[in-house]
Amino acid sequence: MVYIPQDIEQEGKDYLLERGYNLKIGSDLSQEILMKEVKDCDAILTRSIAVINEAVIQAGRNIKVIAKYGVGLDNINVKAATESGIYVTNTPQANANAVAEHVMAFILALSKQLIAADKELRGGNYGARHQLPSMDLEGKTLGVIGLGRIGTLLAQKAARGFGMNVIGYDPYLTTSPSDALEIVTDIEWLFRNADVVSLHLPLTEATKGTIGSREFSWMKKSAYFVNASRGGIVKEADLIEALKAGEIAGAGIDVFEAEPPQRDNPLFQLDNVIVSPHSAALTKEASVRMAVHAAMQVDQALRG
Ligand code: NAD
């Protein structure tokens, strides 16, 4: 029995059904229900909202694999799973392009003031064409923090597609993963020199809350900040302060400190912010790939 706390695309379910597995689609994501529903299952296939903590892992006595639909493993207690001899897998190749494209959409929409222009024109203000100065991306500097799959793909799209100069920071790399970008070792220099800064690192104890007032104060007043990695890496209150104070020009935010975010999250009140509901990875194509790749990993692990 494969436990799927949050439903997934039919293609992923079909992959498992065709191989004879029974599926249990979750009814609720509270810890109490997760612990109850996991009991008689052999595998968990989870998206990013269900919290697979130690208590859930221990309640699932027969669990042999926890397959993540997506990349970030921050909703799974990997240590507790590993100690119980459970495999933990993810689907790293499935959604990298979708996220990199979404970030490019944020960068384009911010630099062209597209959301504001749309709103003004619908409100009858054709004069907005002279009131909303937009910015060329060609020749501007993109600073990418975290040069894994998504950061590297973004660098390539920005450099090759839009003629941006791309600089990247990743303390775990010594050579550049692509000739589209130049590695810098001083993160302050990156913040000070970039016209757009985009985050692409995992949320871990080491990265939690590491981007805040100090980093925003280093940025140019004309620069944009984009986060489609994890909300917890950024001190959201500091970001809101920097945006309100005009320390940075705007932000594109797909992920939040608390998800789902409160309806009255102050970011939603700011005109210089574009938000999306943690949907960067969820193109149709990437969603099907994540569902099928996660299902394949469940099958592989259960077949031994
Ligand atoms: P990846 O593992 O390929 O790359 C992460 C990179 O970050 C690695 O190169 C690593 O060396 C680097 N890194 C680690 N700590 C760092 C630090 N302190 N400073 C700078 N770099 C650091 O991961 P990926 O596939 O590129 O994804 C990146 C993150 O994006 C994931 O961890 C995930 O949380 C997030 N993500 C979000 C969405 C979404 O829907 N918004 C979708 C997929 C992934």
Side-chain angles (χ1 to χ4, degrees):
M1 175 85 77
V2 180
Y3 179 34
I4 305 180
Q6 273 178 289
D7 208 354
I8 59 167
E9 284 65 24
Q10 194 57 44
E11 288 85 343
K13 291 188 284 190
D14 285 347
Y15 187 93
L16 292 167
L17 291 168
E18 283 159 13
R19 283 157 184 79
Y21 296 103
N22 293 317
L23 308 183
K24 186 192 284 184
I25 308 298
S27 59
D28 185 85
L29 297 180
S30 66
Q31 172 159 329
E32 197 191 345
I33 298 293
L34 290 173
M35 285 174 68
K36 196 169 142 210
E37 292 183 339
V38 77
K39 271 207 165 72
D40 52 345
C41 297
D42 307 292
I44 304 175
L45 192 166
T46 182
R47 304 175 67 139
S48 56
I49 308 289
V51 178
I52 312 298
N53 59 19
E54 193 168 358
V56 175
I57 289 168
Q58 267 161 21
R61 295 219 179 112
N62 302 327
I63 295 296
K64 291 170 199 66
V65 56
I66 302 172
K68 174 71 188 275
Y69 168 115
V71 179
L73 295 173
D74 42 284
N75 63 318
I76 300 169
N77 188 331
V78 178
K79 189 166 173 279
T82 312
E83 279 168 7
S84 303
I86 298 170
Y87 293 109
V88 179
T89 65
N90 64 353
T91 59
Q93 298 302 342
N95 62 16
N97 180 68
V99 178
E101 285 186 6
H102 195 91
V103 170
M104 246 1 276
F106 270 147
I107 297 172
L108 284 162
L110 287 163
S111 61
K112 308 300 168 192
Q113 302 231 44
L114 269 186
I115 306 284
D118 178 275
K119 190 172 153 198
E120 288 300 320
L121 184 54
R122 286 168 195 255
N125 181 15
Y126 185 69
R129 65 194 293 260
H130 296 299
Q131 295 155 2
L132 294 170
S134 60
M135 175 179 101
D136 274 358
L137 292 181
E138 188 173 27
K140 296 294 189 308
T141 298
L142 169 65
V144 182
I145 301 178
L147 300 172
R149 282 168 292 262
I150 298 171
T152 304
L153 261 178
L154 171 67
Q156 290 166 343
K157 290 177 195 298
R160 297 184 183 145
F162 294 92
M164 298 187 80
N165 303 317
V166 186
I167 53 177
Y169 173 83
D170 190 320
Y172 301 102
L173 294 182
T174 45
T175 53
S176 176
S178 165
D179 60 8
L181 71 98
E182 187 191 327
I183 285 214
V184 298
T185 51
D186 180 353
I187 196 169
E188 180 175 343
W189 193 89
L190 180 148
F191 273 99
R192 288 193 184 281
N193 286 280
D195 298 293
V196 181
V197 174
S198 191
L199 289 193
H200 297 286
L201 56 169
L203 173 62
T204 62
E205 281 309 313
T207 62
K208 194 173 175 186
T210 48
I211 306 294
S213 303
R214 185 181 62 151
E215 287 71 22
F216 297 125
S217 77
W218 290 336
M219 288 176 69
K220 299 179 188 178
K221 285 193 164 31
S222 57
Y224 296 108
F225 177 77
V226 178
N227 187 9
S229 57
R230 283 293 181 267
I233 300 166
V234 178
K235 289 185 192 127
E236 207 166 271
D238 290 5
L239 171 64
I240 292 161
E241 243 350 277
L243 286 159
K244 279 186 178 162
E247 278 196 67
I248 63 175
I253 303 294
D254 184 54
V255 287
F256 302 85
E257 252 179 2
E259 292 192 8
Q262 296 287 322
R263 281 195 73 166
D264 61 354
N265 186 313
L267 284 171
F268 304 162
Q269 308 302 321
L270 300 175
D271 287 338
N272 51 351
V273 174
I274 302 177
V275 289
S276 52
H278 199 153
S279 56
L282 302 180
T283 61
K284 276 189 212 151
E285 296 83 352
S287 301
V288 169
R289 274 197 298 271
M290 288 189 282
V292 173
H293 289 192
M296 288 166 79
Q297 281 155 342
V298 165
D299 179 48
Q300 271 170 20
L302 292 184
R303 278 191 297 114

CSV table of all heavy atoms in Angstrom, one decimal, residues 170-191:
chain,number,residue,atom,x,y,z
A,170,ASP,N,28.4,30.0,-4.5
A,170,ASP,CA,28.1,28.7,-3.9
A,170,ASP,C,29.4,28.2,-3.2
A,170,ASP,O,30.4,27.9,-3.8
A,170,ASP,CB,27.7,27.8,-5.1
A,170,ASP,CG,27.2,26.4,-4.5
A,170,ASP,OD1,27.7,25.9,-3.5
A,170,ASP,OD2,26.2,25.9,-5.2
A,171,PRO,N,29.4,28.2,-1.9
A,171,PRO,CA,30.6,27.9,-1.1
A,171,PRO,C,31.1,26.5,-1.3
A,171,PRO,O,32.2,26.1,-1.0
A,171,PRO,CB,30.2,28.1,0.3
A,171,PRO,CG,28.7,28.0,0.4
A,171,PRO,CD,28.2,28.5,-1.0
A,172,TYR,N,30.2,25.6,-1.9
A,172,TYR,CA,30.6,24.2,-2.1
A,172,TYR,C,31.2,24.0,-3.5
A,172,TYR,O,31.5,22.8,-3.8
A,172,TYR,CB,29.4,23.3,-1.9
A,172,TYR,CG,28.9,23.5,-0.5
A,172,TYR,CD1,27.7,24.2,-0.2
A,172,TYR,CD2,29.6,23.0,0.6
A,172,TYR,CE1,27.3,24.4,1.1
A,172,TYR,CE2,29.1,23.2,1.9
A,172,TYR,CZ,28.0,23.9,2.1
A,172,TYR,OH,27.5,24.2,3.4
A,173,LEU,N,31.3,25.0,-4.3
A,173,LEU,CA,31.9,24.8,-5.6
A,173,LEU,C,33.2,25.6,-5.8
A,173,LEU,O,33.3,26.8,-5.3
A,173,LEU,CB,30.9,25.3,-6.7
A,173,LEU,CG,29.6,24.5,-6.9
A,173,LEU,CD1,28.8,25.1,-8.0
A,173,LEU,CD2,29.9,23.1,-7.1
A,174,THR,N,34.2,25.1,-6.4
A,174,THR,CA,35.4,25.8,-6.7
A,174,THR,C,35.5,26.3,-8.2
A,174,THR,O,36.1,27.3,-8.5
A,174,THR,CB,36.6,25.0,-6.3
A,174,THR,OG1,36.5,23.7,-6.8
A,174,THR,CG2,36.8,24.9,-4.8
A,175,THR,N,34.8,25.5,-9.0
A,175,THR,CA,34.9,25.9,-10.4
A,175,THR,C,33.4,26.1,-10.9
A,175,THR,O,32.5,25.6,-10.3
A,175,THR,CB,35.5,24.8,-11.3
A,175,THR,OG1,34.8,23.6,-11.1
A,175,THR,CG2,36.9,24.6,-11.1
A,176,SER,N,33.3,26.9,-11.9
A,176,SER,CA,32.0,27.3,-12.4
A,176,SER,C,31.3,26.1,-13.1
A,176,SER,O,31.9,25.4,-13.9
A,176,SER,CB,32.1,28.5,-13.4
A,176,SER,OG,30.8,28.8,-13.8
A,177,PRO,N,30.0,25.9,-12.8
A,177,PRO,CA,29.3,24.8,-13.4
A,177,PRO,C,28.9,25.1,-14.9
A,177,PRO,O,28.4,24.2,-15.6
A,177,PRO,CB,28.0,24.6,-12.6
A,177,PRO,CG,27.8,25.9,-11.9
A,177,PRO,CD,29.2,26.6,-11.8
A,178,SER,N,29.1,26.3,-15.3
A,178,SER,CA,28.7,26.7,-16.7
A,178,SER,C,29.5,27.9,-17.1
A,178,SER,O,29.8,28.8,-16.3
A,178,SER,CB,27.2,27.0,-16.7
A,178,SER,OG,26.9,27.7,-17.9
A,179,ASP,N,29.8,27.9,-18.4
A,179,ASP,CA,30.5,29.1,-18.9
A,179,ASP,C,29.6,30.4,-19.0
A,179,ASP,O,30.0,31.4,-19.4
A,179,ASP,CB,31.3,28.9,-20.2
A,179,ASP,CG,30.3,28.4,-21.3
A,179,ASP,OD1,29.1,28.5,-21.1
A,179,ASP,OD2,30.8,28.0,-22.4
A,180,ALA,N,28.3,30.1,-18.7
A,180,ALA,CA,27.4,31.3,-18.7
A,180,ALA,C,27.5,32.2,-17.4
A,180,ALA,O,27.0,33.2,-17.4
A,180,ALA,CB,25.9,30.8,-18.7
A,181,LEU,N,28.3,31.7,-16.5
A,181,LEU,CA,28.4,32.5,-15.2
A,181,LEU,C,29.8,32.4,-14.6
A,181,LEU,O,30.6,31.5,-14.9
A,181,LEU,CB,27.4,32.0,-14.2
A,181,LEU,CG,27.7,30.6,-13.5
A,181,LEU,CD1,28.3,30.8,-12.2
A,181,LEU,CD2,26.4,29.9,-13.4
A,182,GLU,N,30.1,33.5,-13.9
A,182,GLU,CA,31.4,33.6,-13.2
A,182,GLU,C,31.2,33.5,-11.7
A,182,GLU,O,30.2,34.1,-11.2
A,182,GLU,CB,31.9,35.0,-13.5
A,182,GLU,CG,33.3,35.3,-13.1
A,182,GLU,CD,33.6,36.8,-13.2
A,182,GLU,OE1,33.0,37.5,-14.1
A,182,GLU,OE2,34.3,37.3,-12.3
A,183,ILE,N,32.0,32.6,-11.1
A,183,ILE,CA,31.8,32.4,-9.7
A,183,ILE,C,32.5,33.5,-8.9
A,183,ILE,O,33.6,34.0,-9.2
A,183,ILE,CB,32.5,31.0,-9.3
A,183,ILE,CG1,31.6,29.9,-9.7
A,183,ILE,CG2,32.8,31.0,-7.8
A,183,ILE,CD1,31.6,28.7,-8.8
A,184,VAL,N,31.8,34.0,-7.8
A,184,VAL,CA,32.4,34.9,-6.9
A,184,VAL,C,32.5,34.3,-5.5
A,184,VAL,O,31.6,33.5,-5.2
A,184,VAL,CB,31.7,36.3,-6.9
A,184,VAL,CG1,31.7,37.0,-8.2
A,184,VAL,CG2,30.3,36.2,-6.4
A,185,THR,N,33.5,34.6,-4.7
A,185,THR,CA,33.6,34.0,-3.4
A,185,THR,C,33.1,34.9,-2.3
A,185,THR,O,33.1,34.5,-1.1
A,185,THR,CB,35.1,33.6,-3.2
A,185,THR,OG1,35.9,34.7,-3.4
A,185,THR,CG2,35.5,32.4,-4.1
A,186,ASP,N,32.8,36.2,-2.7
A,186,ASP,CA,32.4,37.1,-1.7
A,186,ASP,C,30.9,37.5,-1.9
A,186,ASP,O,30.6,38.1,-2.8
A,186,ASP,CB,33.3,38.4,-1.9
A,186,ASP,CG,33.0,39.5,-0.8
A,186,ASP,OD1,32.0,39.3,-0.1
A,186,ASP,OD2,33.7,40.5,-0.8
A,187,ILE,N,30.1,36.9,-1.0
A,187,ILE,CA,28.6,37.1,-1.2
A,187,ILE,C,28.2,38.6,-1.1
A,187,ILE,O,27.3,39.0,-1.7
A,187,ILE,CB,27.8,36.2,-0.2
A,187,ILE,CG1,26.4,36.1,-0.6
A,187,ILE,CG2,27.9,36.7,1.2
A,187,ILE,CD1,25.6,35.0,0.1
A,188,GLU,N,29.0,39.4,-0.2
A,188,GLU,CA,28.7,40.8,-0.1
A,188,GLU,C,28.9,41.5,-1.5
A,188,GLU,O,28.1,42.3,-1.9
A,188,GLU,CB,29.5,41.4,1.0
A,188,GLU,CG,29.2,42.9,1.1
A,188,GLU,CD,30.0,43.6,2.3
A,188,GLU,OE1,30.5,42.9,3.2
A,188,GLU,OE2,30.1,44.8,2.3
A,189,TRP,N,29.9,41.1,-2.1
A,189,TRP,CA,30.3,41.7,-3.4
A,189,TRP,C,29.1,41.4,-4.4
A,189,TRP,O,28.7,42.3,-5.2
A,189,TRP,CB,31.6,41.2,-3.9
A,189,TRP,CG,32.1,41.9,-5.1
A,189,TRP,CD1,33.0,43.0,-5.0
A,189,TRP,CD2,31.9,41.7,-6.5
A,189,TRP,NE1,33.2,43.5,-6.3
A,189,TRP,CE2,32.6,42.7,-7.2
A,189,TRP,CE3,31.1,40.8,-7.2
A,189,TRP,CZ2,32.6,42.7,-8.6
A,189,TRP,CZ3,31.1,40.8,-8.6
A,189,TRP,CH2,31.8,41.8,-9.3
A,190,LEU,N,28.6,40.2,-4.3
A,190,LEU,CA,27.5,39.8,-5.2
A,190,LEU,C,26.3,40.7,-4.9
A,190,LEU,O,25.7,41.3,-5.9
A,190,LEU,CB,27.1,38.3,-5.0
A,190,LEU,CG,26.0,37.8,-5.9
A,190,LEU,CD1,26.2,36.3,-6.2
A,190,LEU,CD2,24.6,37.9,-5.2
A,191,PHE,N,25.9,40.8,-3.7
A,191,PHE,CA,24.7,41.6,-3.3
A,191,PHE,C,24.9,43.1,-3.8
A,191,PHE,O,24.0,43.7,-4.2
A,191,PHE,CB,24.5,41.6,-1.8
A,191,PHE,CG,23.6,40.4,-1.4
A,191,PHE,CD1,24.1,39.3,-0.9
A,191,PHE,CD2,22.2,40.5,-1.5
A,191,PHE,CE1,23.3,38.2,-0.5
A,191,PHE,CE2,21.4,39.5,-1.1
A,191,PHE,CZ,21.9,38.3,-0.6
